[in-house]
Amino acid sequence: MAHVRLDRPQAGPACGPSARGISGGGDFGRFAAGHLRAAAARYPDDRATQELVGELLRRSPEFAALWPSPEVSDQRHLSKTIDHPQLGPIALTCDILVVPERDQHVVLFTAEPGTPAHEALRLLSVIGLQQMC
C-alpha cells in the first residue's frame, strides 16, 4: 500500500495549501468539526485546542459554517478527493480508527491498488513535499 503524509507542508506562493483543494470533504469536514467541538468542550482549558479552533474559524469558511452545528458524526469510512497542485485530483478512501483510551482518532487515506490514485500516492511517497513548480 502506498502512503504519504499530507500535513502542513512548507509552501511557496504557487504550491502548498492555498494551491490545492479538497472535495468530497463535506462528510469528513462534518466529522472533524463535530469531534473537535466535542474535544473543545471536554478540554476547555486546553490552549492548543482553543488556538486550533480559533485559527480554523478565521481561515476556513467551511469550518466556520460547520462549527455551530450540534452534529457529531460516527461515520468511520468516507471518500475524499484531494486536488494536488501538480498531480491533479486524487480520489481516496478515508478510514477513521478510534483510540478511545487515548481520546484520539487515526485517519488513514488509501487508494485501491492499480488505480491512478494509487500511482499518485506512490509518486508522492517518493517526491514527498518537494515543490515541483
Side-chain angles (χ1 to χ4, degrees), residues 9 11-22 82-89 131 133:
C15 297
S18 63
R20 64 177 186 237
I22 299 176
I82 296 175
D83 188 11
H84 190 275
Q86 287 80 37
L87 301 179
Q131 292 186 8
C133 17

Side-chain angles (χ1 to χ4, degrees), residues 70-123:
E71 178 184 350
V72 178
S73 172
D74 64 351
Q75 282 189 283
R76 300 289 184 251
H77 185 78
L78 305 165
S79 296
K80 174 182 240 28
T81 299
I82 296 175
D83 188 11
H84 190 275
Q86 287 80 37
L87 301 179
I90 305 171
L92 301 172
T93 298
C94 173
D95 292 299
I96 302 162
L97 308 175
V98 179
V99 187
E101 62 275 1
R102 301 216 31 163
D103 201 16
Q104 294 179 338
H105 293 84
V106 177
V107 180
L108 303 171
F109 292 101
T110 58
E112 193 68 32
T115 64
H118 184 255
E119 293 306 314
L121 287 183
R122 288 182 48 153
L123 178 58

